[in-house]
PDB file of all heavy atoms in Angstrom:
ATOM      1  N   ILE A 129      10.620   8.882  -8.682  1.00 55.00           N
ATOM      2  CA  ILE A 129       9.229   9.081  -9.009  1.00 55.00           C
ATOM      3  C   ILE A 129       8.679  10.304  -8.274  1.00 55.00           C
ATOM      4  O   ILE A 129       9.208  10.700  -7.229  1.00 55.00           O
ATOM      5  CB  ILE A 129       8.392   7.850  -8.656  1.00 55.00           C
ATOM      6  CG1 ILE A 129       8.544   7.503  -7.161  1.00 55.00           C
ATOM      7  CG2 ILE A 129       8.798   6.656  -9.505  1.00 55.00           C
ATOM      8  CD1 ILE A 129       7.685   6.345  -6.699  1.00 55.00           C
ATOM      9  N   ASP A 130       7.667  10.893  -8.880  1.00 70.00           N
ATOM     10  CA  ASP A 130       7.102  12.093  -8.253  1.00 70.00           C
ATOM     11  C   ASP A 130       5.800  11.771  -7.551  1.00 70.00           C
ATOM     12  O   ASP A 130       5.000  12.674  -7.301  1.00 70.00           O
ATOM     13  CB  ASP A 130       6.917  13.192  -9.306  1.00 70.00           C
ATOM     14  CG  ASP A 130       5.978  12.765 -10.409  1.00 70.00           C
ATOM     15  OD1 ASP A 130       5.514  11.594 -10.389  1.00 70.00           O
ATOM     16  OD2 ASP A 130       5.695  13.590 -11.309  1.00 70.00           O
ATOM     17  N   LEU A 131       5.565  10.510  -7.245  1.00 80.00           N
ATOM     18  CA  LEU A 131       4.362  10.137  -6.507  1.00 80.00           C
ATOM     19  C   LEU A 131       4.479  10.638  -5.074  1.00 80.00           C
ATOM     20  O   LEU A 131       5.544  10.592  -4.478  1.00 80.00           O
ATOM     21  CB  LEU A 131       4.165   8.626  -6.524  1.00 80.00           C
ATOM     22  CG  LEU A 131       3.959   7.966  -7.899  1.00 80.00           C
ATOM     23  CD1 LEU A 131       3.795   6.480  -7.758  1.00 80.00           C
ATOM     24  CD2 LEU A 131       2.751   8.569  -8.587  1.00 80.00           C
ATOM     25  N   VAL A 132       3.355  11.076  -4.557  1.00 86.00           N
ATOM     26  CA  VAL A 132       3.351  11.655  -3.202  1.00 86.00           C
ATOM     27  C   VAL A 132       2.960  10.581  -2.182  1.00 86.00           C
ATOM     28  O   VAL A 132       1.872  10.008  -2.304  1.00 86.00           O
ATOM     29  CB  VAL A 132       2.351  12.829  -3.140  1.00 86.00           C
ATOM     30  CG1 VAL A 132       2.319  13.388  -1.729  1.00 86.00           C
ATOM     31  CG2 VAL A 132       2.742  13.900  -4.146  1.00 86.00           C
ATOM     32  N   PRO A 133       3.783  10.306  -1.177  1.00 90.00           N
ATOM     33  CA  PRO A 133       3.370   9.407  -0.095  1.00 90.00           C
ATOM     34  C   PRO A 133       2.141   9.999   0.622  1.00 90.00           C
ATOM     35  O   PRO A 133       2.110  11.206   0.909  1.00 90.00           O
ATOM     36  CB  PRO A 133       4.589   9.372   0.823  1.00 90.00           C
ATOM     37  CG  PRO A 133       5.734   9.774  -0.046  1.00 90.00           C
ATOM     38  CD  PRO A 133       5.169  10.762  -0.998  1.00 90.00           C
ATOM     39  N   GLU A 134       1.153   9.180   0.895  1.00 92.00           N
ATOM     40  CA  GLU A 134      -0.072   9.654   1.535  1.00 92.00           C
ATOM     41  C   GLU A 134      -0.377   8.782   2.765  1.00 92.00           C
ATOM     42  O   GLU A 134      -0.272   7.555   2.695  1.00 92.00           O
ATOM     43  CB  GLU A 134      -1.237   9.628   0.562  1.00 92.00           C
ATOM     44  CG  GLU A 134      -1.071  10.584  -0.609  1.00 92.00           C
ATOM     45  CD  GLU A 134      -2.261  10.517  -1.540  1.00 92.00           C
ATOM     46  OE1 GLU A 134      -3.376  10.891  -1.120  1.00 92.00           O
ATOM     47  OE2 GLU A 134      -2.102  10.106  -2.695  1.00 92.00           O
ATOM     48  N   ASN A 135      -0.794   9.421   3.803  1.00 94.00           N
ATOM     49  CA  ASN A 135      -1.151   8.725   5.039  1.00 94.00           C
ATOM     50  C   ASN A 135      -2.556   8.121   4.939  1.00 94.00           C
ATOM     51  O   ASN A 135      -3.482   8.578   5.589  1.00 94.00           O
ATOM     52  CB  ASN A 135      -1.040   9.671   6.225  1.00 94.00           C
ATOM     53  CG  ASN A 135      -1.171   8.927   7.555  1.00 94.00           C
ATOM     54  OD1 ASN A 135      -1.150   7.687   7.601  1.00 94.00           O
ATOM     55  ND2 ASN A 135      -1.313   9.674   8.633  1.00 94.00           N
ATOM     56  N   ILE A 136      -2.663   7.105   4.093  1.00 94.00           N
ATOM     57  CA  ILE A 136      -3.919   6.409   3.905  1.00 94.00           C
ATOM     58  C   ILE A 136      -3.902   5.173   4.808  1.00 94.00           C
ATOM     59  O   ILE A 136      -2.959   4.391   4.762  1.00 94.00           O
ATOM     60  CB  ILE A 136      -4.093   5.979   2.435  1.00 94.00           C
ATOM     61  CG1 ILE A 136      -4.091   7.206   1.533  1.00 94.00           C
ATOM     62  CG2 ILE A 136      -5.386   5.168   2.245  1.00 94.00           C
ATOM     63  CD1 ILE A 136      -4.024   6.859   0.052  1.00 94.00           C
ATOM     64  N   PRO A 137      -4.916   4.993   5.657  1.00 94.00           N
ATOM     65  CA  PRO A 137      -4.907   3.835   6.570  1.00 94.00           C
ATOM     66  C   PRO A 137      -4.823   2.515   5.829  1.00 94.00           C
ATOM     67  O   PRO A 137      -5.462   2.322   4.788  1.00 94.00           O
ATOM     68  CB  PRO A 137      -6.256   3.978   7.290  1.00 94.00           C
ATOM     69  CG  PRO A 137      -6.623   5.396   7.197  1.00 94.00           C
ATOM     70  CD  PRO A 137      -6.106   5.847   5.861  1.00 94.00           C
ATOM     71  N   LEU A 138      -3.974   1.611   6.324  1.00 96.00           N
ATOM     72  CA  LEU A 138      -3.825   0.299   5.753  1.00 96.00           C
ATOM     73  C   LEU A 138      -4.150  -0.772   6.785  1.00 96.00           C
ATOM     74  O   LEU A 138      -3.810  -0.631   7.967  1.00 96.00           O
ATOM     75  CB  LEU A 138      -2.366   0.082   5.293  1.00 96.00           C
ATOM     76  CG  LEU A 138      -1.905   0.883   4.069  1.00 96.00           C
ATOM     77  CD1 LEU A 138      -0.395   0.657   3.865  1.00 96.00           C
ATOM     78  CD2 LEU A 138      -2.672   0.491   2.825  1.00 96.00           C
ATOM     79  N   ASP A 139      -4.791  -1.827   6.335  1.00 97.00           N
ATOM     80  CA  ASP A 139      -5.050  -2.998   7.203  1.00 97.00           C
ATOM     81  C   ASP A 139      -3.910  -3.954   6.947  1.00 97.00           C
ATOM     82  O   ASP A 139      -3.919  -4.756   6.026  1.00 97.00           O
ATOM     83  CB  ASP A 139      -6.404  -3.609   6.845  1.00 97.00           C
ATOM     84  CG  ASP A 139      -6.801  -4.728   7.819  1.00 97.00           C
ATOM     85  OD1 ASP A 139      -5.947  -5.097   8.669  1.00 97.00           O
ATOM     86  OD2 ASP A 139      -7.908  -5.230   7.716  1.00 97.00           O
ATOM     87  N   ILE A 140      -2.873  -3.890   7.801  1.00 97.00           N
ATOM     88  CA  ILE A 140      -1.648  -4.682   7.614  1.00 97.00           C
ATOM     89  C   ILE A 140      -1.807  -6.029   8.300  1.00 97.00           C
ATOM     90  O   ILE A 140      -2.064  -6.135   9.504  1.00 97.00           O
ATOM     91  CB  ILE A 140      -0.426  -3.926   8.169  1.00 97.00           C
ATOM     92  CG1 ILE A 140      -0.260  -2.615   7.399  1.00 97.00           C
ATOM     93  CG2 ILE A 140       0.818  -4.796   8.050  1.00 97.00           C
ATOM     94  CD1 ILE A 140       0.783  -1.699   8.002  1.00 97.00           C
ATOM     95  N   VAL A 141      -1.642  -7.088   7.517  1.00 98.00           N
ATOM     96  CA  VAL A 141      -1.793  -8.458   8.024  1.00 98.00           C
ATOM     97  C   VAL A 141      -0.440  -9.011   8.451  1.00 98.00           C
ATOM     98  O   VAL A 141      -0.328  -9.764   9.430  1.00 98.00           O
ATOM     99  CB  VAL A 141      -2.418  -9.348   6.944  1.00 98.00           C
ATOM    100  CG1 VAL A 141      -2.510 -10.805   7.415  1.00 98.00           C
ATOM    101  CG2 VAL A 141      -3.802  -8.833   6.549  1.00 98.00           C
ATOM    102  N   TYR A 142       0.628  -8.621   7.736  1.00 98.00           N
ATOM    103  CA  TYR A 142       1.978  -9.120   8.022  1.00 98.00           C
ATOM    104  C   TYR A 142       2.957  -8.095   7.453  1.00 98.00           C
ATOM    105  O   TYR A 142       2.730  -7.528   6.390  1.00 98.00           O
ATOM    106  CB  TYR A 142       2.220 -10.478   7.389  1.00 98.00           C
ATOM    107  CG  TYR A 142       3.640 -10.983   7.537  1.00 98.00           C
ATOM    108  CD1 TYR A 142       4.039 -11.689   8.648  1.00 98.00           C
ATOM    109  CD2 TYR A 142       4.582 -10.744   6.529  1.00 98.00           C
ATOM    110  CE1 TYR A 142       5.338 -12.142   8.790  1.00 98.00           C
ATOM    111  CE2 TYR A 142       5.886 -11.200   6.645  1.00 98.00           C
ATOM    112  CZ  TYR A 142       6.267 -11.887   7.781  1.00 98.00           C
ATOM    113  OH  TYR A 142       7.552 -12.332   7.928  1.00 98.00           O
ATOM    114  N   GLU A 143       4.092  -7.931   8.162  1.00 97.00           N
ATOM    115  CA  GLU A 143       5.137  -7.055   7.657  1.00 97.00           C
ATOM    116  C   GLU A 143       6.469  -7.403   8.273  1.00 97.00           C
ATOM    117  O   GLU A 143       6.568  -7.707   9.466  1.00 97.00           O
ATOM    118  CB  GLU A 143       4.801  -5.580   7.935  1.00 97.00           C
ATOM    119  CG  GLU A 143       5.820  -4.626   7.357  1.00 97.00           C
ATOM    120  CD  GLU A 143       5.485  -3.154   7.623  1.00 97.00           C
ATOM    121  OE1 GLU A 143       4.611  -2.889   8.485  1.00 97.00           O
ATOM    122  OE2 GLU A 143       6.087  -2.270   6.987  1.00 97.00           O
ATOM    123  N   ASP A 144       7.504  -7.394   7.458  1.00 96.00           N
ATOM    124  CA  ASP A 144       8.868  -7.431   7.929  1.00 96.00           C
ATOM    125  C   ASP A 144       9.692  -6.520   7.021  1.00 96.00           C
ATOM    126  O   ASP A 144       9.138  -5.765   6.224  1.00 96.00           O
ATOM    127  CB  ASP A 144       9.418  -8.869   7.998  1.00 96.00           C
ATOM    128  CG  ASP A 144       9.453  -9.573   6.654  1.00 96.00           C
ATOM    129  OD1 ASP A 144       9.475  -8.904   5.610  1.00 96.00           O
ATOM    130  OD2 ASP A 144       9.460 -10.816   6.645  1.00 96.00           O
ATOM    131  N   ARG A 145      11.013  -6.550   7.109  1.00 94.00           N
ATOM    132  CA  ARG A 145      11.809  -5.628   6.336  1.00 94.00           C
ATOM    133  C   ARG A 145      11.913  -6.009   4.865  1.00 94.00           C
ATOM    134  O   ARG A 145      12.484  -5.257   4.063  1.00 94.00           O
ATOM    135  CB  ARG A 145      13.209  -5.484   6.946  1.00 94.00           C
ATOM    136  CG  ARG A 145      14.043  -6.728   6.975  1.00 94.00           C
ATOM    137  CD  ARG A 145      15.262  -6.524   7.825  1.00 94.00           C
ATOM    138  NE  ARG A 145      16.140  -7.691   7.864  1.00 94.00           N
ATOM    139  CZ  ARG A 145      17.164  -7.887   7.064  1.00 94.00           C
ATOM    140  NH1 ARG A 145      17.438  -6.984   6.126  1.00 94.00           N
ATOM    141  NH2 ARG A 145      17.897  -8.974   7.150  1.00 94.00           N
ATOM    142  N   HIS A 146      11.326  -7.176   4.488  1.00 95.00           N
ATOM    143  CA  HIS A 146      11.404  -7.636   3.121  1.00 95.00           C
ATOM    144  C   HIS A 146      10.097  -7.446   2.344  1.00 95.00           C
ATOM    145  O   HIS A 146      10.145  -7.248   1.123  1.00 95.00           O
ATOM    146  CB  HIS A 146      11.814  -9.113   3.088  1.00 95.00           C
ATOM    147  CG  HIS A 146      13.058  -9.417   3.851  1.00 95.00           C
ATOM    148  ND1 HIS A 146      14.312  -9.048   3.411  1.00 95.00           N
ATOM    149  CD2 HIS A 146      13.242 -10.041   5.038  1.00 95.00           C
ATOM    150  CE1 HIS A 146      15.216  -9.445   4.277  1.00 95.00           C
ATOM    151  NE2 HIS A 146      14.609 -10.029   5.285  1.00 95.00           N
ATOM    152  N   LEU A 147       8.984  -7.591   3.022  1.00 97.00           N
ATOM    153  CA  LEU A 147       7.696  -7.537   2.321  1.00 97.00           C
ATOM    154  C   LEU A 147       6.588  -7.134   3.266  1.00 97.00           C
ATOM    155  O   LEU A 147       6.770  -7.067   4.491  1.00 97.00           O
ATOM    156  CB  LEU A 147       7.403  -8.882   1.680  1.00 97.00           C
ATOM    157  CG  LEU A 147       7.341 -10.129   2.614  1.00 97.00           C
ATOM    158  CD1 LEU A 147       5.942 -10.374   3.124  1.00 97.00           C
ATOM    159  CD2 LEU A 147       7.826 -11.382   1.876  1.00 97.00           C
ATOM    160  N   ILE A 148       5.432  -6.878   2.694  1.00 97.00           N
ATOM    161  CA  ILE A 148       4.250  -6.507   3.467  1.00 97.00           C
ATOM    162  C   ILE A 148       3.027  -7.148   2.824  1.00 97.00           C
ATOM    163  O   ILE A 148       2.943  -7.268   1.601  1.00 97.00           O
ATOM    164  CB  ILE A 148       4.104  -4.962   3.535  1.00 97.00           C
ATOM    165  CG1 ILE A 148       2.923  -4.561   4.445  1.00 97.00           C
ATOM    166  CG2 ILE A 148       3.963  -4.377   2.137  1.00 97.00           C
ATOM    167  CD1 ILE A 148       2.863  -3.072   4.709  1.00 97.00           C
ATOM    168  N   VAL A 149       2.096  -7.607   3.660  1.00 98.00           N
ATOM    169  CA  VAL A 149       0.809  -8.166   3.195  1.00 98.00           C
ATOM    170  C   VAL A 149      -0.299  -7.302   3.782  1.00 98.00           C
ATOM    171  O   VAL A 149      -0.331  -7.058   4.999  1.00 98.00           O
ATOM    172  CB  VAL A 149       0.630  -9.627   3.650  1.00 98.00           C
ATOM    173  CG1 VAL A 149      -0.766 -10.158   3.230  1.00 98.00           C
ATOM    174  CG2 VAL A 149       1.735 -10.506   3.073  1.00 98.00           C
ATOM    175  N   VAL A 150      -1.173  -6.817   2.904  1.00 98.00           N
ATOM    176  CA  VAL A 150      -2.267  -5.962   3.360  1.00 98.00           C
ATOM    177  C   VAL A 150      -3.600  -6.576   2.957  1.00 98.00           C
ATOM    178  O   VAL A 150      -3.686  -7.354   1.998  1.00 98.00           O
ATOM    179  CB  VAL A 150      -2.157  -4.524   2.792  1.00 98.00           C
ATOM    180  CG1 VAL A 150      -0.875  -3.881   3.242  1.00 98.00           C
ATOM    181  CG2 VAL A 150      -2.256  -4.551   1.265  1.00 98.00           C
ATOM    182  N   ASP A 151      -4.642  -6.191   3.689  1.00 98.00           N
ATOM    183  CA  ASP A 151      -6.018  -6.581   3.382  1.00 98.00           C
ATOM    184  C   ASP A 151      -6.685  -5.367   2.742  1.00 98.00           C
ATOM    185  O   ASP A 151      -7.032  -4.418   3.429  1.00 98.00           O
ATOM    186  CB  ASP A 151      -6.718  -6.996   4.688  1.00 98.00           C
ATOM    187  CG  ASP A 151      -8.022  -7.758   4.424  1.00 98.00           C
ATOM    188  OD1 ASP A 151      -8.473  -7.757   3.250  1.00 98.00           O
ATOM    189  OD2 ASP A 151      -8.581  -8.314   5.384  1.00 98.00           O
ATOM    190  N   LYS A 152      -6.782  -5.383   1.423  1.00 98.00           N
ATOM    191  CA  LYS A 152      -7.276  -4.231   0.678  1.00 98.00           C
ATOM    192  C   LYS A 152      -8.792  -4.074   0.762  1.00 98.00           C
ATOM    193  O   LYS A 152      -9.512  -5.055   0.655  1.00 98.00           O
ATOM    194  CB  LYS A 152      -6.869  -4.340  -0.807  1.00 98.00           C
ATOM    195  CG  LYS A 152      -7.127  -3.067  -1.610  1.00 98.00           C
ATOM    196  CD  LYS A 152      -6.798  -3.250  -3.078  1.00 98.00           C
ATOM    197  CE  LYS A 152      -7.987  -3.805  -3.837  1.00 98.00           C
ATOM    198  NZ  LYS A 152      -9.122  -2.863  -3.936  1.00 98.00           N
ATOM    199  N   HIS A 153      -9.240  -2.843   0.957  1.00 97.00           N
ATOM    200  CA  HIS A 153     -10.679  -2.588   1.002  1.00 97.00           C
ATOM    201  C   HIS A 153     -11.214  -2.207  -0.368  1.00 97.00           C
ATOM    202  O   HIS A 153     -10.432  -1.849  -1.294  1.00 97.00           O
ATOM    203  CB  HIS A 153     -11.021  -1.521   2.040  1.00 97.00           C
ATOM    204  CG  HIS A 153     -10.396  -0.172   1.761  1.00 97.00           C
ATOM    205  ND1 HIS A 153     -10.824   0.665   0.774  1.00 97.00           N
ATOM    206  CD2 HIS A 153      -9.338   0.447   2.360  1.00 97.00           C
ATOM    207  CE1 HIS A 153     -10.100   1.771   0.773  1.00 97.00           C
ATOM    208  NE2 HIS A 153      -9.167   1.663   1.722  1.00 97.00           N
ATOM    209  N   ALA A 154     -12.499  -2.265  -0.540  1.00 97.00           N
ATOM    210  CA  ALA A 154     -13.117  -1.909  -1.824  1.00 97.00           C
ATOM    211  C   ALA A 154     -12.917  -0.437  -2.122  1.00 97.00           C
ATOM    212  O   ALA A 154     -12.907   0.402  -1.211  1.00 97.00           O
ATOM    213  CB  ALA A 154     -14.606  -2.248  -1.786  1.00 97.00           C
ATOM    214  N   GLY A 155     -12.767  -0.127  -3.394  1.00 94.00           N
ATOM    215  CA  GLY A 155     -12.632   1.262  -3.827  1.00 94.00           C
ATOM    216  C   GLY A 155     -11.205   1.758  -3.857  1.00 94.00           C
ATOM    217  O   GLY A 155     -10.969   2.863  -4.354  1.00 94.00           O
ATOM    218  N   LEU A 156     -10.252   0.984  -3.350  1.00 94.00           N
ATOM    219  CA  LEU A 156      -8.851   1.404  -3.349  1.00 94.00           C
ATOM    220  C   LEU A 156      -8.154   0.928  -4.593  1.00 94.00           C
ATOM    221  O   LEU A 156      -8.001  -0.272  -4.819  1.00 94.00           O
ATOM    222  CB  LEU A 156      -8.149   0.861  -2.101  1.00 94.00           C
ATOM    223  CG  LEU A 156      -6.684   1.257  -1.916  1.00 94.00           C
ATOM    224  CD1 LEU A 156      -6.544   2.768  -1.753  1.00 94.00           C
ATOM    225  CD2 LEU A 156      -6.072   0.531  -0.712  1.00 94.00           C
ATOM    226  N   VAL A 157      -7.731   1.860  -5.438  1.00 92.00           N
ATOM    227  CA  VAL A 157      -6.982   1.547  -6.634  1.00 92.00           C
ATOM    228  C   VAL A 157      -5.570   1.134  -6.223  1.00 92.00           C
ATOM    229  O   VAL A 157      -4.960   1.733  -5.321  1.00 92.00           O
ATOM    230  CB  VAL A 157      -6.913   2.774  -7.584  1.00 92.00           C
ATOM    231  CG1 VAL A 157      -6.027   2.490  -8.779  1.00 92.00           C
ATOM    232  CG2 VAL A 157      -8.315   3.158  -8.031  1.00 92.00           C
ATOM    233  N   VAL A 158      -5.029   0.096  -6.860  1.00 91.00           N
ATOM    234  CA  VAL A 158      -3.737  -0.449  -6.432  1.00 91.00           C
ATOM    235  C   VAL A 158      -2.567   0.493  -6.788  1.00 91.00           C
ATOM    236  O   VAL A 158      -1.749   0.793  -5.936  1.00 91.00           O
ATOM    237  CB  VAL A 158      -3.491  -1.848  -7.020  1.00 91.00           C
ATOM    238  CG1 VAL A 158      -2.052  -2.289  -6.819  1.00 91.00           C
ATOM    239  CG2 VAL A 158      -4.450  -2.850  -6.370  1.00 91.00           C
ATOM    240  N   HIS A 159      -2.499   0.923  -8.021  1.00 84.00           N
ATOM    241  CA  HIS A 159      -1.369   1.753  -8.429  1.00 84.00           C
ATOM    242  C   HIS A 159      -1.824   2.947  -9.246  1.00 84.00           C
ATOM    243  O   HIS A 159      -2.874   2.910  -9.902  1.00 84.00           O
ATOM    244  CB  HIS A 159      -0.328   0.940  -9.198  1.00 84.00           C
ATOM    245  CG  HIS A 159      -0.896   0.296 -10.444  1.00 84.00           C
ATOM    246  ND1 HIS A 159      -1.148   0.977 -11.589  1.00 84.00           N
ATOM    247  CD2 HIS A 159      -1.242  -0.991 -10.689  1.00 84.00           C
ATOM    248  CE1 HIS A 159      -1.610   0.159 -12.505  1.00 84.00           C
ATOM    249  NE2 HIS A 159      -1.699  -1.034 -11.986  1.00 84.00           N
ATOM    250  N   PRO A 160      -1.043   4.016  -9.237  1.00 80.00           N
ATOM    251  CA  PRO A 160      -1.418   5.208 -10.018  1.00 80.00           C
ATOM    252  C   PRO A 160      -1.395   4.940 -11.522  1.00 80.00           C
ATOM    253  O   PRO A 160      -0.739   4.009 -11.985  1.00 80.00           O
ATOM    254  CB  PRO A 160      -0.343   6.235  -9.619  1.00 80.00           C
ATOM    255  CG  PRO A 160       0.259   5.731  -8.360  1.00 80.00           C
ATOM    256  CD  PRO A 160       0.177   4.231  -8.450  1.00 80.00           C
ATOM    257  N   THR A 161      -2.060   5.780 -12.240  1.00 70.00           N
ATOM    258  CA  THR A 161      -1.978   5.785 -13.696  1.00 70.00           C
ATOM    259  C   THR A 161      -1.562   7.201 -14.118  1.00 70.00           C
ATOM    260  O   THR A 161      -1.384   8.072 -13.266  1.00 70.00           O
ATOM    261  CB  THR A 161      -3.338   5.452 -14.326  1.00 70.00           C
ATOM    262  OG1 THR A 161      -4.282   6.457 -13.980  1.00 70.00           O
ATOM    263  CG2 THR A 161      -3.840   4.089 -13.826  1.00 70.00           C
ATOM    264  N   ALA A 162      -1.439   7.402 -15.406  1.00 59.00           N
ATOM    265  CA  ALA A 162      -1.052   8.735 -15.875  1.00 59.00           C
ATOM    266  C   ALA A 162      -2.078   9.785 -15.461  1.00 59.00           C
ATOM    267  O   ALA A 162      -1.728  10.956 -15.276  1.00 59.00           O
ATOM    268  CB  ALA A 162      -0.891   8.719 -17.397  1.00 59.00           C
ATOM    269  N   SER A 163      -3.332   9.372 -15.292  1.00 58.00           N
ATOM    270  CA  SER A 163      -4.385  10.328 -14.954  1.00 58.00           C
ATOM    271  C   SER A 163      -4.761  10.317 -13.482  1.00 58.00           C
ATOM    272  O   SER A 163      -5.399  11.230 -13.000  1.00 58.00           O
ATOM    273  CB  SER A 163      -5.639  10.044 -15.806  1.00 58.00           C
ATOM    274  OG  SER A 163      -6.102   8.732 -15.586  1.00 58.00           O
TER     275      SER A 163
END
């Protein structure tokens, strides 16, 4: 994929090498779209 990793602050609630749980804030779109 040609998506660019971005250093956007995340509120991480839990993480290990298998999965991650985050507390999403308002205004943050979950995944990119074509536009």
Side-chain angles (χ1 to χ4, degrees):
I129 57 176
D130 60 358
L131 298 179
V132 178
E134 296 180 64
N135 188 11
I136 300 170
L138 290 174
D139 186 353
I140 299 171
V141 177
Y142 174 87
E143 183 180 14
D144 60 23
R145 62 191 181 93
H146 306 288
L147 58 91
I148 184 171
V149 176
V150 300
D151 195 349
K152 190 184 86 68
H153 61 74
L156 182 62
V157 175
V158 169
H159 58 76
T161 64
S163 59

